[in-house]
Amino acid sequence: MARFDLPDNVHRVRAKLKGGVRFYFYACRGGPRFWTGPERHPTTPAFFAALAAAVAAPKPAEYTTAQMVDDFLSSAELPKGARTREDYRLWALRFAAEFGPDPAQMFEEPESRGEVNDWRQRWEHSPRQYDYAGTVVTRILNWAWKDAGKIRQHHCHGFRKVYAADRAEIVWTPEHREKVCAIAPAWVARILIAGCETGLRPADLVALTRFQIEVTASGRRIRVRTKKRKRTAHIPVTPAMAALLDATPEGQSLVLVNPKGGPLSARAAAEGLRYWRDKAGLTPEALGFDLRLQDTRGTAATRLLNSGLSLGEIAACMGWSV
């Protein structure tokens, strides 16, 4: 029968086992479980007696999923990177919006894995988002289990990854750069130039200041401690980067700024470049691939490789491992 023919608030979960299909029934979503059997819609007196006993049982104060998510977001377990923290917060709140009123203990039940997978199906059109939803849920439940002791176990780990990307060969060619710089406002053109000439991650790129420029015997270089790896990179200042630095207004400490002259976020930098990239006709549909701000890193590494530097020298310049 249809789902709405069940008694009010009863939640049913279907499980396919070796011995056949079984159904688990809960007095409400998240528990307690009061009946297990092969029938989708039991009508025996024993079923209703078990339901009545489960509903009548005293309910202790429950630690809800919403509380668990809130505690996780207030903990030291959030990733350190600002952009990653922002993404984790977004997906954690989506998780709480779906399962918030349910007791966190529901994830101790094997069937909860199917519940989470059903929720993730909303993003099946985007493999990357589908995977990210599972990653954040696993991280939250691992914290609640192993660190906070809020649950005894969970079954939402080891989700199969469906997203795979190899962007190693995607770079900004001189022609791409020229097309964007020809029509984009100066603040966007500076983002693209600085990214291609330094290879810095967007978070490090928007934080670059003129005080990180050092004068050496062979010219200028950029000395920066990367936010993600905490490695020190020494990046030679190329002629194109030198022109950009020399054009930076005297009283401006940040190398890259927004249209109003204020600080620029990594997300705003990426979105600004994406907008003018499309205006220049470099859309994913036209190119067959999606050029992004992150691809300026590979562009810079390719330029250094073509200049004759060894892998070790490139790693030292960019703060990478070999």
Side-chain angles (χ1 to χ4, degrees):
M1 291 187 179
R3 170 68 177 88
F4 54 78
D5 285 337
L6 287 170
D8 290 344
N9 299 322
V10 170
H11 183 58
R12 175 180 56 219
V13 175
R14 180 179 182 273
K16 190 173 183 180
L17 307 175
K18 288 183 178 180
V21 174
R22 294 188 73 78
F23 295 93
Y24 300 94
F25 295 86
Y26 300 82
C28 59
R29 185 170 182 171
R33 185 199 297 180
F34 69 90
W35 189 262
T36 301
E39 296 177 327
R40 180 178 176 81
H41 189 79
T43 57
T44 63
F47 173 82
F48 291 100
L51 172 60
V55 171
K59 296 179 175 59
E62 289 176 329
Y63 182 69
T64 66
T65 300
Q67 289 174 297
M68 177 177 65
V69 169
D70 186 58
D71 288 346
F72 172 79
L73 292 176
S74 302
S75 74
E77 288 301 306
L78 277 178
K80 303 303 180 186
R83 174 63 185 274
T84 308
R85 290 170 70 91
E86 185 179 341
D87 289 340
Y88 262 63
R89 185 174 296 278
L90 170 66
W91 285 101
L93 293 177
R94 286 176 175 173
F95 177 55
E98 178 69 15
F99 298 100
D102 301 331
Q105 284 73 20
M106 72 174 282
F107 298 101
E108 296 175 358
E109 298 285 346
E111 297 77 33
S112 64
R113 185 182 182 91
E115 298 277 329
V116 172
N117 269 325
D118 287 345
W119 168 68
R120 292 204 300 154
Q121 288 299 323
R122 296 180 188 176
W123 296 278
E124 63 180 339
H125 62 282
S126 172
R128 190 173 186 179
Q129 293 188 81
Y130 179 84
D131 285 351
Y132 213 105
T135 296
V136 174
V137 168
T138 300
R139 183 76 171 264
I140 293 171
L141 294 176
N142 279 345
W143 168 83
W145 169 30
K146 297 182 179 180
D147 296 320
K150 299 295 186 181
I151 57 178
R152 294 172 296 177
Q153 62 174 333
H154 75 86
H155 299 270
C156 297
H157 40 70
F159 287 120
R160 182 177 65 87
K161 301 290 185 181
V162 297
Y163 175 75
D166 183 1
R167 306 185 61 81
E169 296 184 3
I170 298 179
V171 297
W172 288 83
T173 66
E175 292 77 14
H176 294 152
R177 295 169 63 175
E178 288 171 8
K179 284 185 177 181
V180 173
C181 292
I183 65 167
W187 70 274
V188 173
R190 287 172 65 88
I191 293 169
L192 179 56
I193 294 169
C196 290
E197 298 301 316
T198 65
L200 289 171
R201 289 186 178 87
D204 294 315
L205 195 63
V206 297
L208 184 64
T209 71
R210 63 193 318 138
F211 306 113
Q212 293 170 285
I213 313 303
E214 298 178 340
V215 178
T216 68
S218 57
R220 285 183 285 181
R221 71 178 184 184
I222 300 169
R223 185 178 188 275
V224 58
R225 184 170 174 79
T226 60
K227 293 181 180 296
K228 184 173 182 179
R229 303 292 184 188
K230 307 302 180 186
R231 292 187 176 126
T232 300
H234 296 91
I235 305 166
V237 173
T238 64
M241 190 64 189
L244 184 148
L245 292 172
D246 293 340
T248 304
E250 269 302 318
Q252 180 180 304
S253 61
L254 285 168
V255 173
L256 303 177
V257 293
N258 64 28
K260 296 182 179 180
L264 185 66
S265 70
R267 187 184 292 274
E271 290 176 350
L273 180 57
R274 184 185 306 113
Y275 176 83
W276 286 99
R277 173 208 69 185
D278 290 350
K279 284 284 190 181
L282 303 176
T283 62
E285 293 76 18
L287 295 176
F289 55 88
D290 188 12
L291 265 177
R292 305 173 188 170
L293 176 58
Q294 289 89 337
D295 297 318
T296 60
R297 287 169 58 70
T299 304
T302 301
R303 174 176 51 75
L304 293 173
L305 185 64
N306 291 338
S307 299
L309 271 66
S310 68
L311 295 181
E313 291 170 324
I314 295 173
C317 286
M318 305 190 71
W320 293 353
S321 65
V322 174

